[in-house]
Amino acid sequence: MTGAGKLDRRLRFEARQEIDDGHGSPVAGDWLPRFTVWGKRQFLRGGETVLAARLESRQPAILTIRDSRQAREITADWRVVDTGDKRIYNIRENPKLSDNRGFLEMLVEAGVAT
């Protein structure tokens, strides 16, 4: 169970800005901050996939945040910046409601290209 005391990481969610390439087609621009919330980070351990990822300096984790209107806008093409240790995570799946339905959980991965 996740309580407010376990939400100990300050997480900034960012989405890519779409800009015009000069020929009428949108292209990915800079990362723009969308919102910042308190969350919980749980690194994944065990399993062949996770162990292989660590050998490649990738670190998968599960991030948990409170469910909100803003949080429901998050998609797998966003990224998350932990404002404490400045680690950048790519979101690997759209957030899902947790078992108690008051929180959203998402698989993220640090150490990979954005």
Side-chain angles (χ1 to χ4, degrees):
M1 181 174 212
T2 302
K6 303 231 182 214
L7 303 178
D8 60 352
R9 313 296 304 182
R10 201 71 175 138
L11 305 171
R12 183 177 67 235
F13 287 83
E14 300 178 342
R16 283 247 193 226
Q17 174 186 26
E18 280 193 6
I19 56 174
D20 190 328
D21 68 355
H23 300 287
S25 298
V27 294
D30 294 331
W31 289 100
L32 295 177
R34 297 294 299 266
F35 58 89
T36 302
V37 295
W38 289 99
K40 175 181 138 186
R41 175 183 65 195
Q42 179 179 354
F43 288 117
L44 297 179
R45 291 173 171 73
E48 289 181 25
T49 304
V50 173
L51 293 175
R54 278 198 228 134
L55 291 174
E56 297 175 5
S57 297
R58 296 181 298 157
Q59 181 59 64
I62 299 292
L63 294 183
T64 304
I65 61 172
R66 289 185 189 277
D67 186 17
S68 70
R69 181 188 53 76
Q70 286 180 317
R72 289 181 182 246
E73 295 176 9
I74 299 168
T75 63
D77 58 347
W78 288 28
R79 74 177 188 180
V80 183
V81 178
D82 185 320
T83 62
D85 62 14
K86 308 296 186 217
R87 191 174 297 195
I88 298 173
Y89 297 94
N90 289 324
I91 300 173
R92 294 297 182 208
E93 64 182 13
N94 290 337
K96 297 176 185 158
L97 280 173
S98 65
D99 290 340
N100 69 1
R101 306 185 66 79
F103 297 89
L104 294 174
E105 298 174 335
M106 65 203 80
L107 175 65
V108 298
E109 191 173 33
V112 293
T114 56

